[in-house]
Amino acid sequence: MNDVLKKIGISELNSGVSYKLGEWVSAQGKQTIKSLNPANQQVLASVSLATEQDYEQAVQSLQQSFQVWRMVPAPERGELVRKIGLKLRENKEVLGKLVTLECGKIIQEGLGEVQEMIDIADYAVGLSRSLSGPTLQSERRQHRILEQWLPIGPVGVVTAFNFPVAVWAWNAMIALVCGDTVLWKPSSQTPLTAIATHRIVSEVITEQGYPDIIALMVGAGSLVGNKMSDDIRIPMVSVTGSIPTGKKVAQRVAARLGRTILELGGNNAAIVMEDADLEIARRAIFFGAVGTAGQRCTTTRRIFLHEKIYDQFMDKLIRAYQQWTVIGDPLDEKTTCGPLINQGAVDQYLHALDKIKTQNGKIIQGGKVVDNPGFYVEPTIVEIEKGAPITKEETFVPILYVMKVSSVEEALQYHNDVPQGLSSAIITNNLRYSEKFLSAQGSDCGIANVNTSTSGAEIGGAFGGEKETGGGRESGSDAWKGYMRRQTVSINYGEELPLAQGIEFIKD
Ligand code: UN1
């Protein structure tokens, strides 16, 4: 563990943390939080929290650097992001290990998380040469209309513990090539990973001679989060987190008519039809439900099984849980299920199990807290009636609800009957079923997959969801538009001034 911290130069963490490269702020007189390893409850470090003055200084510095950065040509901004991607490649192992140490996801997923940062950096490099707007046809002679996209300013990025760095990169790499500067508030559960990433990336920025175009604020939501939400100097705030947090941020930002990108809770389901390839179904569902110990916003939380394959598939799934679930140290390559993030999450697991019993749910696999100093619970399968209230809530733990259906229409009806709308999947080889699932009467989610898991999205697509998931889009496709302002330009290159709609205003 010490080698990991040392390699990224944060051995002095016990005495404080900086939000700018190289400037360590003493923890003296400051509030601190402890970063815990959820696998054994050992303290990894204490980190000092940002104060109001720190916030002020960071925003002012980001405003200043924005003046410079927005005038750097986008491909040159892309060149910096390319170098950031290279640096992340060099540090993949060490950062991946730190992700695992601090947030408890298994090492394969810790490394995957860093790979996701590298992927989005590569994507952003390409984007830096293709940010474009259309040229439109003007009704006026010798006129041209076009749209151009311009940077918007310092943007705020609030990230959650479960993707402590990848989701920052989804936002930051795109925002940087768009010409914005970036203020990051990481989860208070995972400050070390954020500091390490910030340091690695900042080093490249400084080496290349650019000012501080990114800043990190480890701090309480009630201070940093609220300030960001109310601050007119931050035109856009992107938040990954719970629905209640997102609602608060949305209201505060809307009160000043600012913009948000919200990626909130999910309650993702997979539908398994009677013709499905059950081996694909079992692998996709096991990965979706047990991966990251059920703590992804894209985790598979509900499955709808066609009655014709119900018994056969349940048999397969239970055997998969028994055979593939290896609970333990997330650094051990054999482990498939690491710990939950903290005691609060274990309490939520227990609370959900109580509710399940009162709602006639039947626990058929798992259902126990593991006796261990870490925050471990057993991945759990529950048979429950369609429409049971608990199946409409997102509990951020590995509990999978199984429901029986007799048609694709019935599956879709219950599938969509939840407040959240992030990810979804259907497992079928029947074109009619899959097309129905993808049609306007199909899945109402932002992500709809066929024959693969609800979780594990690639960076190339736009990521986000509908309904209470918040409607935001991050990462690939045209999500970059959320980080820029659109300007419609009309150019008259003629010698007269014809008006639109044929208006003759001055009659001479
Ligand atoms: C999240 O859980 O907030 O689709 C993001 C996935 C990941 C991202 C999840 N690539 O599972």
Side-chain angles (χ1 to χ4, degrees):
M1 171 356 239
N2 279 340
D3 328 337
V4 175
L5 293 183
K6 221 170 176 167
K7 173 123 198 272
I8 45 189
I10 53 176
S11 49
E12 61 270 63
L13 256 184
N14 277 313
S15 60
V17 59
S18 67
Y19 60 86
K20 269 201 243 162
L21 174 75
E23 278 184 38
W24 288 93
V25 180
S26 158
Q28 250 189 359
K30 288 198 172 184
Q31 243 184 308
T32 56
I33 45 166
K34 284 188 170 52
S35 162
L36 284 190
N37 178 349
N40 55 21
Q41 296 200 49
Q42 245 175 30
V43 177
L44 293 170
S46 2
V47 176
S48 62
L49 296 180
T51 61
E52 274 194 65
Q53 293 93 296
D54 294 335
Y55 176 84
E56 205 34 56
Q57 211 181 326
V59 174
Q60 279 178 20
S61 133
L62 287 177
Q63 270 188 303
Q64 274 164 22
S65 56
F66 176 61
Q67 310 296 319
V68 178
W69 186 239
R70 65 182 173 179
M71 295 310 293
V72 173
E76 201 180 315
R77 300 194 292 245
E79 177 57 14
L80 175 68
V81 169
R82 191 179 71 80
K83 294 202 165 94
I84 292 172
L86 293 176
K87 195 61 154 203
L88 290 171
R89 281 177 169 85
E90 275 171 38
N91 288 280
K92 179 170 170 182
E93 217 156 310
V94 83
L95 260 184
K97 217 166 155 189
L98 189 63
V99 167
T100 289
L101 274 172
E102 198 181 32
C103 90
K105 62 172 66 173
I106 61 168
I107 187 68
Q108 273 303 309
E109 293 184 293
L111 292 169
E113 166 124 11
V114 184
Q115 186 58 46
E116 205 162 340
M117 287 206 280
I118 296 167
D119 293 344
I120 194 74
D122 287 358
Y123 183 86
V125 177
L127 190 63
S128 73
R129 287 186 183 266
S130 62
L131 297 166
S132 63
T135 301
L136 302 145
Q137 299 304 321
S138 174
E139 67 190 47
R140 289 170 284 179
R141 283 173 195 240
Q142 296 183 307
H143 275 61
R144 197 155 69 84
I145 303 179
L146 57 96
E147 278 181 11
Q148 61 168 353
W149 291 86
L150 299 162
I152 48 174
V155 295
V157 178
V158 179
T159 54
F161 78 85
N162 65 330
F163 274 83
V165 288
V167 170
W168 169 76
W170 285 0
N171 286 275
M173 296 304 125
I174 302 292
L176 286 180
V177 296
C178 289
D180 301 332
T181 53
V182 183
L183 176 60
W184 180 14
K185 183 202 149 346
S187 158
S188 304
Q189 307 286 334
T190 51
L192 280 192
T193 328
I195 292 163
T197 305
H198 178 73
R199 283 190 63 115
I200 288 166
V201 175
S202 291
E203 214 170 280
V204 182
I205 294 171
T206 310
E207 261 167 29
Q208 296 305 310
Y210 293 109
D212 292 324
I213 49 178
I214 58 169
L216 172 70
M217 302 254 83
V218 177
S222 55
L223 180 90
V224 183
N226 285 353
K227 279 199 153 295
M228 252 189 210
S229 305
D230 296 339
D231 197 335
I232 52 163
R233 296 169 297 180
I234 316 265
M236 195 280 283
V237 183
S238 169
V239 178
T240 301
S242 69
I243 291 167
T245 304
K247 281 186 177 166
K248 276 189 219 136
V249 172
Q251 283 169 21
R252 293 181 91 117
V253 179
R256 61 172 170 96
L257 301 180
R259 282 198 225 161
T260 46
I261 294 178
L262 301 173
E263 201 265 279
L264 312 174
N267 188 357
N268 321 294
I271 298 170
V272 185
M273 293 307 294
E274 78 276 17
D275 69 296
D277 178 329
L278 295 186
E279 190 49 28
I280 284 194
R282 151 173 117 121
R283 285 173 181 269
I285 290 168
F286 184 76
F287 170 66
V290 179
T292 327
Q295 301 173 107
R296 286 194 197 205
C297 54
T298 50
T299 290
T300 310
R301 307 205 177 278
R302 303 175 292 145
I303 55 174
F304 295 99
L305 305 183
H306 194 278
E307 59 192 9
K308 286 196 184 139
I309 47 94
Y310 191 94
D311 292 336
Q312 186 195 354
F313 185 67
M314 280 308 276
D315 240 38
K316 256 174 126 39
L317 189 65
I318 293 165
R319 268 189 285 124
Y321 265 61
Q322 290 168 352
Q323 183 190 336
W324 289 336
T325 303
V326 182
I327 301 175
D329 179 2
L331 282 172
D332 184 337
E333 281 283 355
K334 288 193 285 301
T335 302
T336 53
C337 183
L340 295 179
I341 188 68
N342 55 23
Q343 187 56 43
V346 176
D347 294 344
Q348 276 178 36
Y349 175 82
L350 290 171
H351 186 61
L353 292 179
D354 284 346
K355 271 200 191 165
I356 286 164
K357 283 172 208 148
T358 64
Q359 293 177 24
N360 299 324
K362 203 164 112 209
I363 297 166
I364 48 169
Q365 173 67 34
K368 284 192 274 317
V369 172
V370 178
D371 187 17
N372 182 302
F375 303 115
Y376 290 95
V377 300
E378 290 176 354
T380 301
I381 304 178
V382 173
E383 279 181 322
I384 198 157
E385 265 170 48
K386 294 176 289 256
I390 186 122
T391 64
K392 301 190 182 191
E393 291 170 24
E394 179 195 42
T395 311
F396 222 53
V397 298
I399 298 179
L400 178 68
Y401 301 113
V402 187
M403 290 160 273
K404 195 187 275 183
V405 289
S406 53
S407 66
V408 73
E409 290 78 14
E410 189 190 13
L412 278 167
Q413 181 201 326
Y414 286 101
H415 175 279
N416 289 345
D417 187 22
V418 294
Q420 311 83 353
L422 180 55
S423 187
S424 56
I426 190 166
I427 314 293
T428 182
N429 287 322
N430 183 323
L431 183 77
R432 290 187 181 149
Y433 291 153
S434 58
E435 287 298 313
K436 186 155 228 166
F437 176 76
L438 297 175
S439 76
Q441 53 179 332
S443 160
D444 62 0
C445 294
I447 297 169
N449 296 336
V450 178
N451 288 336
T452 187
S453 173
T454 61
S455 85
E458 299 175 24
I459 53 93
F463 185 91
E466 303 302 325
K467 304 196 287 186
E468 288 195 357
T469 302
R473 291 295 184 275
E474 297 167 306
S475 193
S477 184
D478 66 350
W480 59 269
K481 290 179 176 167
Y483 305 79
M484 300 195 92
R485 62 188 168 92
R486 182 199 310 243
Q487 194 166 61
T488 305
V489 179
S490 301
I491 301 166
N492 175 8
Y493 58 91
E495 284 161 25
E496 308 210 348
L497 187 71
L499 299 178
Q501 295 88 46
I503 288 174
E504 280 188 44
F505 192 63
I506 304 165
K507 294 198 169 70
D508 43 17

